Amino acid sequence: MMSKDKSDEEREIEMKSGDEPQAADAKPEEHRNRRHEASSKELVAELDTLSEELDRVQVELEETKDKFLRGLADFDNYRKRVTRERAQLTKCANEDLIKRLLDVVDNIERALDAASESEDFDGFKKGMELIYDHLKGILTKEGLCPIVCLGEPFDPNYHEAVMALEKEGHESDKVVEEVQKGYMLDGRVIRPSKVVVSK
Amino acid sequence: MGKVIGIDLGTTNSCVAVMEGGEPKVIPNREGGRTSPSVVAFAKSGERLAGLVAKRQAITNPENTVFSIKRFMGRRFKEVPEESKIVPYEVTQASNGDVRIAILGQGLCPARDLGNGAPGA
């Protein structure tokens, strides 16, 4: 911007000197030389400032680059740590659940042992019912809940159609048979009910 | 910088990933799956279903459930006589000879209308 103004000024001077009669041509010549000297001094000064600025900017760039690379490395380490921790957390969570399921395993083993010594089917059945309730209780505590579907309108968000049947006395698109129970865990479908749907 | 997203649109399953810190990260679907079925369905109510949900209702609504659409993308009707016979949805022809899928009275274009629904489920 500065240098552009300068050259405009110079051009103006040159134009003026061209208009003047030849008689007084020594004066503008001198004038122009002085002008040139002054402007080259200014240019040198400007060059100095610019190269200083370039140095400064280069240092700044190096610093920023360094910061960026460090940040990137930090992030990478963070990600690795989170992945490791999450894997560990999953394992711990499994451990907790497995411990509680071991009670169920113990009880089934006891029931089987008892069944090999006695023929008391009613007693065995009652035992099994107790174990089943225990297991269901553990799973319910974990947030598991069965999907109730029989007679409901078919909803693919919760049900998976395995067959479509023409059934008399049934409205269309209703669940008429449950082939396999579906379950939700904490409000999320982990297994949809497999159902037969009326046409 | 804008987010970079990558879509693997497969004939049977699709997968979507987003660039995160220089590495791709797969976006799981609502049920936690890393891939979703490449299925789009139009329920009788007019609702549009995609992915797992669309696949689960396929048996009750075969004419309006579109799967394996990739094999029709960018094809002309005359090029796909075999494929047209094995799918339960109706494959028709546009005035320019391209494949169209007839759903609820509309002729849908495989790439434009059906290619974008699957990963969202």
Side-chain angles (χ1 to χ4, degrees), chain A residues 22-158:
Chain A
Q22 282 144 339
D25 70 356
K27 250 190 188 172
E29 185 84 354
E30 215 175 285
H31 189 71
R32 206 186 301 163
N33 277 345
R34 235 184 294 139
R35 266 286 174 180
H36 270 224
E37 228 167 85
S39 70
S40 71
K41 253 185 207 160
E42 269 169 30
L43 280 175
V44 169
E46 204 178 323
L47 190 66
D48 279 348
T49 7
L50 282 176
S51 67
E52 259 169 44
E53 199 172 326
L54 181 65
D55 283 348
R56 198 175 52 75
V57 169
Q58 253 164 357
V59 169
E60 215 169 85
L61 176 68
E62 277 306 314
E63 278 169 9
T64 314
K65 223 191 217 169
D66 193 56
K67 254 188 226 162
F68 170 70
L69 285 175
R70 276 169 201 281
L72 209 65
D74 269 351
F75 178 67
D76 212 45
N77 286 338
Y78 172 73
R79 190 172 45 199
K80 275 182 201 151
R81 188 163 56 84
V82 166
T83 317
R84 207 172 43 228
E85 277 176 1
R86 191 188 281 166
Q88 225 162 10
L89 198 73
T90 321
K91 252 188 208 161
C92 287
N94 279 346
E95 195 180 300
D96 222 41
L97 178 61
I98 287 169
K99 255 190 215 160
R100 263 174 287 160
L101 289 178
L102 285 181
D103 288 342
V104 181
V105 175
D106 289 345
N107 286 337
I108 292 175
E109 276 171 3
R110 269 182 219 125
L112 287 174
D113 279 349
S116 60
E117 284 163 18
S118 122
E119 296 277 288
D120 179 8
F121 180 75
D122 287 339
F124 180 74
K125 192 181 165 207
K126 208 169 171 200
M128 273 298 157
E129 277 167 1
L130 287 173
I131 293 168
Y132 174 62
D133 284 343
H134 182 202
L135 179 59
K136 260 207 312 203
I138 291 171
L139 295 175
T140 308
K141 239 190 222 163
E142 288 290 317
L144 190 79
C145 99
I147 296 172
V148 182
C149 62
L150 216 55
E152 299 283 317
F154 172 70
D155 181 348
N157 287 303
Y158 303 99

Side-chain angles (χ1 to χ4, degrees), chain B residues 25-111:
Chain B
K25 186 176 180 292
V26 171
I27 304 173
N29 63 24
R30 218 187 297 159
E31 299 186 2
R34 292 162 61 82
T35 61
S36 296
S38 306
V39 184
V40 176
F42 297 81
K44 280 160 203 144
S45 59
E47 198 189 350
R48 185 162 157 157
L49 309 167
L52 272 172
V53 177
K55 193 178 181 183
R56 281 187 205 139
Q57 56 83 65
I59 279 176
T60 66
N61 189 22
E63 305 88 9
N64 301 318
T65 302
V66 180
F67 59 89
S68 295
I69 193 64
K70 201 166 107 170
R71 60 179 80 192
F72 294 110
M73 282 184 183
R75 307 291 292 275
R76 303 199 150 255
F77 183 71
K78 284 198 181 104
E79 297 172 336
V80 288
E82 291 303 312
E83 285 92 336
S84 303
K85 263 179 251 158
I86 58 172
V87 293
Y89 47 88
E90 197 187 336
V91 181
T92 59
Q93 185 170 198
S95 52
N96 62 1
D98 285 350
V99 165
R100 287 285 179 272
I101 308 301
I103 300 278
L104 303 171
Q106 276 181 295
L108 301 179
C109 166

Side-chain angles (χ1 to χ4, degrees), chain A residues 139-182:
Chain A
L139 295 175
T140 308
K141 239 190 222 163
E142 288 290 317
L144 190 79
C145 99
I147 296 172
V148 182
C149 62
L150 216 55
E152 299 283 317
F154 172 70
D155 181 348
N157 287 303
Y158 303 99
H159 313 140
E160 179 176 336
V162 292
M163 221 196 300
L165 271 186
E166 207 80 69
K167 276 229 175 176
E168 271 179 48
H170 277 282
E171 283 177 69
S172 69
D173 272 330
K174 285 267 193 286
V175 174
V176 291
E177 199 184 315
E178 184 180 58
V179 181
Q180 189 186 49
K181 230 182 197 176

